[in-house]
């Protein structure tokens, strides 16, 4: 259930974060409020009927219905975000610009209104099934605390980043202004939070140390013999402690906890509990928690790097604009929905097939650790049989993240007969992990470069008449993202609007001062503009020199050579153009023509040529947009 809720809450965060705050809501407030409260009432009545007296007779059915309402809450929340524009009413321009994390937390509070309504109706059945009394507010807080560990890392990191951006800290500005710097800081904060969060989770889940007893001392001796470092063995009151399960959390020994439910301690013998402990030790000794962390970081990077290419593909797609025209859907809603769909699809596929594959095989690896710890899998097999019986005959019930207990038992029996199967499974799992890492590295590398390739090719495709309005709107809504300003500059440069292009490039450089191609395009405009008021050869040379240091390529060196020539430095111009020719021999004719121009003409020339699609010859600039 934890992993399903994790997936649901990730989708909720995507729904809310990808929707920009509109300038005005789609519906006025006097329409929004009746629709919103009417929807809440409908959700309440559905929950009342589903959890009504006698409707649920077993705990497995209770959990299934609760999960169904959690998913229904996502659909209700999506209506609030995309139809009722709840983000407009929950935020302000100042909050959105300086503390977007607080707006995100307000969105999560809105989402939890729906599960809260379901829990209010589920409370009587929960009390009946689990024989534990809760007040209305107590039951609500109990359920929220179960989900807090999922939300807490995101909330802490988001708020920390907002504070760092808000505070005047000059020494952090270069780091926060760089995309690599932001990713590095995110990784640092994420690792720090992951290290300490087990301490807070134990209190959120009301875990208490296992009382001193002969059983506890026996387990401590077993853990000591296995040379396993941990902070405490905790009683885990998951669903009043009636679930038969155990777990381990924490990357560091001093902040690592072993969790055991009271029902498991009552149901298993000492030898079977040792086998369960061996399974949990296997997760740590085989580095599964570290690999789970790696999988989550990979997912975060994948979603982050997908956002801009998806948006750029949409804003430069004529099919997208035709759809908006034919359906009457406004641009912002269309872009948000169509931009969100591939992200949600990636999220679902990643969890179901990538995360699920590794979880199933990591669990099997942990099962196999019983051979190293005990030599015999029989105690673990017996513990699985008891868990299956006490759980209501769930022996053959698989899930997306676990093999069924029957499959796990059969594999342990197979490995007892064929010990070589243990090594084969380890090789299979680590081989798959290597393939995943190589594939993910290649994918992330391609996605990192994809926005630049899309932007570079924009002037080679038919340009939509809507595109500039789209980019202006995106840059207004996301003013700290250099991608939109760079795209706007490239579009205006392709349309031969130098004044507007210079203005956009200037803004992009303020946000991303180490972007070599933006520097290059701005430098090219400053030495080739037909309007003498826009010419600035001195600044163009400085920009081109800096761009060449960051990324030495033919078209950038050509701009540098042009800057040298503009300032009367002919030997430097010719030498630089020869370096450009050596790096980019495919454009030999262009570079030879440039050298001929340098030898025979003076700057500014009557006309300038363009190498491919990187630079364009400007013409008379239009008025700048306000």
């Amino acid at each position: 259930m934890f992993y399903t809720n994790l997936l649901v809450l990730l989708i909720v965060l995507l729904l809310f974060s990808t929707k920009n705050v509109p300038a005005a809501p789609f519906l006025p407030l006097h329409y929004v409020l009746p629709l919103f409260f009417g929807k809440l009432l409908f959700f309440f009545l559905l929950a009342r009927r589903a959890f009504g007296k006698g409707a649920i007779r077993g705990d497995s059915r209770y959990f299934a219905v609760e999960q169904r309402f959690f998913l229904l809450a996502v659909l209700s929340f999506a209506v609030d975000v995309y139809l009722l524009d709840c983000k407009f009413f929950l935020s302000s321009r100042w909050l959105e610009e300086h503390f977007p994390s607080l707006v995100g937390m307000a969105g999560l509070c809105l989402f939890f209104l729906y599960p809260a309504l379901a829990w209010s109706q589920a409370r009587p059945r929960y009390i009946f099934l689990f024989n534990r009394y809760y007040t209305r507010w107590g039951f609500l807080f109990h359920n929220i605390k179960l989900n807090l560990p999922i939300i807490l890392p995101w909330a802490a990191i988001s708020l920390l980043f907002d504070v760092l951006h808000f505070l005047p800290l000059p020494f952090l500005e270069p780091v926060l202004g760089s995309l690599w710097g932001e990713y590095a800081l995110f990784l640092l904060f994420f690792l720090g939070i992951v290290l300490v969060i087990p301490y807070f989770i134990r209190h959120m889940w009301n875990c208490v140390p296992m009382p001193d007893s002969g059983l506890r001392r026996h387990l401590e001796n077993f853990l000591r013999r296995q040379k396993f470092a941990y902070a405490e063995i905790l009683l885990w009151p998951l669903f009043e402690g009636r679930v038969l399960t155990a777990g381990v959390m924490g990357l560091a020994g001093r902040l690592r906890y072993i969790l055991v439910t009271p029902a498991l301690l009552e149901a298993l013998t000492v030898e079977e509990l040792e086998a369960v402990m061996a399974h949990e030790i296997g997760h740590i000794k085989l580095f599964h928690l570290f690999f789970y962390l790696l999988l989550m970081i990979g997912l975060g990077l994948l979603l982050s790097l997908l956002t801009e290419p998806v948006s750029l593909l949409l804003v430069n797609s004529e099919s997208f604009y035709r759809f908006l025209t034919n359906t009457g859907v406004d641009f912002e809603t269309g872009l948000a929905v169509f931009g969100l769909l591939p992200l949600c699809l990636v999220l679902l596929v990643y969890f179901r097939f990538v995360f699920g594959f590794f979880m199933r095989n990591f669990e099997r690896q942990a099962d196999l650790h019983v051979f190293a710890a005990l030599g015999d899998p029989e105690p673990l097999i017996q513990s699985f049989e008891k868990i299956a019986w006490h759980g209501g005959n769930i022996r053959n019930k698989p899930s997306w993240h676990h093999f069924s207990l029957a499959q796990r038992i059969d594999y342990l029996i197979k490995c007892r007969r064929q010990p070589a199967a243990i090594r084969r499974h380890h090789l299979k799992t680590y081989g798959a992990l290597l393939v995943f890492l190589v594939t993910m590295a290649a994918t992330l590398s391609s996605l990192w470069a994809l926005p630049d390739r899309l932007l570079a090719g924009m002037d080679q495709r038919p340009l939509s008449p809507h595109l500039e309005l789209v980019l202006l709107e995106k840059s207004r809504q996301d003013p700290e993202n250099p991608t939109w300003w760079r795209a706007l500059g490239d579009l205006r440069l392709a349309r031969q609007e130098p004044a507007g292009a210079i203005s956009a490039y200037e803004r992009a450089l303020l946000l991303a001062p180490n972007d070599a191609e933006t520097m290059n395009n701005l430098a090219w405009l400053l030495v080739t503009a037909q309007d003498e008021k826009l010419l600035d050869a001195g600044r163009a040379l400085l920009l081109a020199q800096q761009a060449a240091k960051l990324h030495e390529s033919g078209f950038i060196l050509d701009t540098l050579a042009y800057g040298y020539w503009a300032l009367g430095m002919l030997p430097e111009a010719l030498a630089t153009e020869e370096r450009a020719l050596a790096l980019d021999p495919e454009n030999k004719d262009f570079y030879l023509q440039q050298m001929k121009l340098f030898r025979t003409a003076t700057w500014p020339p009557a006309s300038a040529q363009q190498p491919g699609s990187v630079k364009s010859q400007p013409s008379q600039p239009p008025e700048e947009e306000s």
Side-chain angles (χ1 to χ4, degrees), residues 19 26 82 320 324 327-335:
K19 172 67 171 158
F26 177 65
Y82 288 99
F320 175 62
L324 298 184
T327 60
V329 175
D330 68 279
F331 168 76
E332 272 306 309
T333 301
L335 186 63

Side-chain angles (χ1 to χ4, degrees), residues 47-82:
R48 186 173 183 173
R49 180 178 179 182
F51 289 103
K53 187 175 181 180
I56 297 174
R57 299 185 181 277
D59 52 4
S60 59
R61 176 64 180 163
Y62 172 88
F63 294 138
V65 174
E66 183 188 49
Q67 204 70 63
R68 208 169 293 161
F69 273 90
F70 215 62
L71 296 174
L72 184 59
V74 177
L75 296 177
S76 300
F77 182 70
V79 173
D80 292 338
V81 173
Y82 288 99

Side-chain angles (χ1 to χ4, degrees), residues 176-304:
L176 293 172
S178 160
L179 191 57
W180 276 112
E182 285 218 356
Y183 280 128
L185 272 181
F186 172 83
L187 184 60
L188 182 65
F189 294 155
F190 187 66
L191 289 174
I193 289 169
V194 166
L195 283 172
V196 302
I197 200 170
Y199 175 80
F200 296 99
I201 291 177
R202 64 170 290 190
H203 295 290
M204 291 177 205
W205 287 352
N206 299 321
C207 298
V208 296
M210 182 179 175
D212 186 27
S213 63
L215 177 59
R216 177 182 172 113
R217 289 191 291 273
H218 185 93
L219 293 177
E220 287 174 338
N221 287 333
F222 174 76
L223 294 169
R224 195 175 301 115
R225 291 197 305 272
Q226 296 296 318
K227 298 179 181 178
F228 182 73
Y230 65 99
E232 184 60 88
I233 303 174
L234 299 173
L235 290 181
W236 187 11
L238 182 64
F239 299 113
E240 314 318 321
R242 289 179 52 178
V243 180
L244 276 73
T245 189
V248 62
M249 61 178 182
L251 295 175
R254 293 184 179 181
L255 289 170
R256 181 180 297 139
Y257 300 96
I258 300 172
L259 309 177
V260 187
T261 59
L264 192 73
L265 293 177
E266 292 174 8
L268 303 188
T269 65
V270 173
E271 291 76 16
E272 290 163 356
L273 285 169
E274 283 184 349
V276 171
M277 291 293 168
H279 172 94
E280 303 304 337
I281 292 170
H283 280 306
I284 297 300
K285 293 202 171 182
L286 295 168
F287 304 105
H288 292 163
L289 298 190
F290 171 76
F291 291 139
Y292 284 140
L293 184 62
L294 204 60
L295 288 167
M296 289 303 299
I297 291 172
L299 174 62
L301 290 173
L302 188 62
L303 293 176
S304 175

Side-chain angles (χ1 to χ4, degrees), residues 251-544:
L251 295 175
R254 293 184 179 181
L255 289 170
R256 181 180 297 139
Y257 300 96
I258 300 172
L259 309 177
V260 187
T261 59
L264 192 73
L265 293 177
E266 292 174 8
L268 303 188
T269 65
V270 173
E271 291 76 16
E272 290 163 356
L273 285 169
E274 283 184 349
V276 171
M277 291 293 168
H279 172 94
E280 303 304 337
I281 292 170
H283 280 306
I284 297 300
K285 293 202 171 182
L286 295 168
F287 304 105
H288 292 163
L289 298 190
F290 171 76
F291 291 139
Y292 284 140
L293 184 62
L294 204 60
L295 288 167
M296 289 303 299
I297 291 172
L299 174 62
L301 290 173
L302 188 62
L303 293 176
S304 175
L305 292 176
L306 264 175
T307 304
E308 286 185 7
V310 168
S311 296
L312 286 171
L313 285 170
L314 285 173
V315 299
N316 202 36
S317 167
E318 289 295 338
S319 300
F320 175 62
Y321 294 110
R322 280 197 297 271
F323 171 81
L324 298 184
T325 302
N326 294 334
T327 60
V329 175
D330 68 279
F331 168 76
E332 272 306 309
T333 301
L335 186 63
V337 171
F338 281 95
L340 178 67
L341 286 176
L343 298 182
C344 285
L345 182 62
V346 167
L347 181 63
L348 291 170
V349 169
Y350 190 95
F351 258 85
R352 176 63 182 84
F353 295 103
V354 178
F355 214 83
F357 170 83
F358 284 111
M359 285 191 71
R360 290 192 300 274
N361 285 280
F362 287 165
E363 286 298 322
R364 178 164 283 175
Q365 275 192 309
D367 290 347
L368 296 177
H369 187 71
V370 75
F371 286 94
L374 299 178
D376 182 10
E378 188 60 29
L380 187 59
I381 291 172
Q382 291 304 315
S383 70
F384 286 161
E385 294 287 9
K386 287 184 178 180
I387 290 170
W389 186 81
H390 283 282
N393 198 23
I394 58 171
R395 193 175 191 276
N396 294 300
K397 184 179 179 181
S399 70
W400 66 271
H401 53 81
H402 276 69
F403 290 115
S404 71
L405 289 169
Q407 290 172 310
R408 295 167 73 176
I409 290 168
D410 291 344
Y411 201 81
L412 286 169
I413 294 171
K414 174 185 175 181
C415 290
R416 182 165 56 187
R417 293 171 181 168
Q418 304 173 26
I422 299 174
R423 183 171 180 273
R424 285 198 299 270
H425 182 71
H426 289 320
L427 288 175
K428 167 196 164 184
T429 304
Y430 290 128
L433 195 60
L434 181 62
V435 170
F436 163 78
L437 291 174
V438 172
T439 305
M440 182 60 75
T443 302
L444 294 178
S445 176
S446 299
L447 288 175
W448 182 273
L450 186 57
D452 285 342
R453 291 201 297 271
L454 291 173
L455 291 172
M458 283 173 70
D459 59 332
Q460 296 177 350
R461 296 190 292 272
L463 296 171
S464 164
H466 304 284
L467 187 52
E468 181 161 8
L469 293 175
V470 170
L471 293 175
L472 283 168
E473 180 65 14
K474 292 299 293 182
S475 61
R476 182 191 68 78
Q477 293 168 346
D478 193 9
E480 301 303 313
N481 189 340
T483 299
W484 305 116
W485 296 103
R486 159 91 180 279
L488 188 59
D490 289 348
L491 176 64
R492 289 171 172 174
L493 182 132
R495 287 179 170 173
Q496 299 186 359
E497 300 172 1
I502 288 171
S503 173
Y505 284 142
E506 295 277 14
R507 184 62 181 267
L509 275 181
L510 282 175
L511 299 170
N514 293 321
D515 187 330
E517 293 195 18
T518 303
M519 290 179 195
N520 172 76
N521 288 359
L522 178 55
W524 180 253
L525 281 170
L526 293 175
V527 288
T528 60
Q530 290 185 349
D531 187 343
E532 292 186 3
K533 295 178 182 177
L534 301 177
L535 294 175
D536 188 345
R539 184 165 180 239
L541 180 61
L542 291 175
L543 286 168

